[in-house]
Amino acid sequence: MSMGGKPGKMGRRKVDPFLADNTLVIDYKRPDILCRFISERGKIIPSRISGVTAKNQRKLAVAIKRARQIALVPYSRLESF
Amino acid sequence: MARDPNYRKYETVFILRTDLSDEDKGKALAKVDSILKDFDGHAIRREDWGPRKLAYKIEKQTKGLYFYQLFLGKGGLVLELERNFRLMDSVLKFMTVTIDDNIVLADFDFAGEAKELTWMAEQRGAKAAAAAEAEERQEAEEASAEADAKEEAEPAKAEEAPEAAEAPEAEAEVAVEEKEEAEGGEEVAAEEEEVA
């Protein structure tokens, strides 16, 4: 828990993008949103980097896996591209 | 274990091959409908998401026709539906997700649910609208060209023709702007993906 303090040293607590913007929904049918939370390689981005809350990260992971299943989002992608 | 008398709400996304004839496509869709009917299912709505690029190759195909079917049914229906999908050569891939449990048929708002659209269908609709407007624009241009030709041929009607030609052109400009906006949005999405 950081309370502000000196920026840079304490670091700022990241805001969950799903709470900050309620047009963002977690749904496997929205590859446009899911792609924000997938690395170039196709991996799910950890919540410590994206700032997604644990609860939402769990839902997000399910959504991404479903989207992969139906070929809306890749399982893996080569880094060179 | 007593069977649950109530229904569940399911959605199925299935991908058909792009190289199908219209007849085969119609057959596949009719098969889905008939299974829903024969196995105590209630279709709510079907969406056509159109041809989409697949995120990875399936059966050596890079593109697929996406369809989305929302329905009420019981477990046996899903089993039968998926069994048939596996048998059909025209289906590349399918996935069924349970959305809701314990639905009482009498209380279910079919008309309301049938009207809603997923984001995918909305996107497709927007694209189709843009294409239609672009076509309209082309027609308007042709019409104005014709009007110009008439003007030259019949100087007597010159007063009426330019007005008729100007009106459709103004509409056409609006259409172009909207189309550009839609394309811009896609680019942004692609960029975001790269950053991530």
Side-chain angles (χ1 to χ4, degrees), chain B residues 25-172:
Chain B
K25 199 169 104 182
K27 248 188 221 166
L29 297 179
K31 184 78 190 166
V32 174
D33 287 337
S34 74
I35 293 167
L36 284 179
K37 208 183 273 175
D38 296 345
F39 288 81
D40 191 23
H42 297 267
I44 301 168
R45 69 167 190 270
R46 174 156 62 219
E47 292 176 5
D48 180 356
W49 292 351
R52 280 185 65 90
K53 217 176 147 195
L54 301 170
Y56 47 86
K57 281 187 185 175
I58 305 174
E59 290 177 26
K60 294 178 184 166
Q61 302 284 312
T62 53
K63 276 183 147 190
L65 300 173
Y66 277 74
F67 286 92
Y68 170 88
Q69 174 76 54
L70 191 64
F71 59 95
L72 298 185
K74 296 175 180 177
L77 169 65
V78 177
L79 280 177
E80 181 63 18
L81 194 62
E82 300 209 328
R83 188 182 72 84
N84 278 278
F85 278 148
R86 275 185 209 102
L87 293 176
M88 283 149 78
D89 292 329
S90 51
V91 178
L92 290 176
K93 197 127 194 186
F94 56 87
M95 182 176 72
T96 306
V97 176
T98 313
I99 319 176
D100 216 343
D101 229 345
N102 245 336
I103 286 175
V104 181
L105 208 55
D107 300 341
F108 193 74
D109 174 20
F110 275 101
E113 298 254 357
K115 267 186 233 156
E116 284 170 32
L117 275 184
T118 60
W119 176 85
M120 289 281 217
E122 279 172 17
Q123 291 295 303
R124 176 126 202 274
K127 251 187 198 172
E133 275 178 59
E135 209 171 289
E136 226 172 83
R137 182 181 119 230
Q138 216 171 12
E139 275 172 28
E141 265 170 27
E142 277 165 24
S144 72
E146 268 176 43
D148 285 346
K150 262 189 193 170
E151 202 180 322
E152 279 171 34
E154 301 172 49
K157 281 187 183 174
E159 274 176 12
E160 281 171 25
E163 271 176 281
E166 270 166 40
E169 249 171 48
E171 250 178 283

Side-chain angles (χ1 to χ4, degrees), chain A:
Chain A
M1 278 277 273
S2 75
M3 324 284 221
K6 284 173 197 164
K9 268 196 175 176
M10 300 276 282
R12 239 163 28 101
R13 189 187 194 91
K14 283 192 175 124
V15 183
D16 182 344
F18 290 106
L19 297 178
D21 177 1
N22 58 12
T23 61
L24 285 186
V25 289
I26 303 177
D27 182 359
Y28 75 91
K29 299 186 290 295
R30 292 295 300 271
D32 59 318
I33 292 173
L34 296 180
C35 74
R36 273 187 56 174
F37 301 93
I38 297 170
S39 75
E40 230 169 294
R41 198 82 168 79
K43 293 179 174 187
I44 300 174
I45 293 175
S47 60
R48 77 187 133 80
I49 290 166
S50 61
V52 178
T53 58
K55 189 177 169 184
N56 280 341
Q57 182 75 5
R58 290 195 294 272
K59 287 191 196 166
L60 184 64
V62 173
I64 290 174
K65 286 167 187 174
R66 281 179 178 169
R68 280 174 179 168
Q69 177 78 15
I70 206 72
L72 294 174
V73 145
Y75 279 105
S76 77
R77 201 160 34 190
L78 289 176
E79 269 166 307
S80 57
F81 241 119

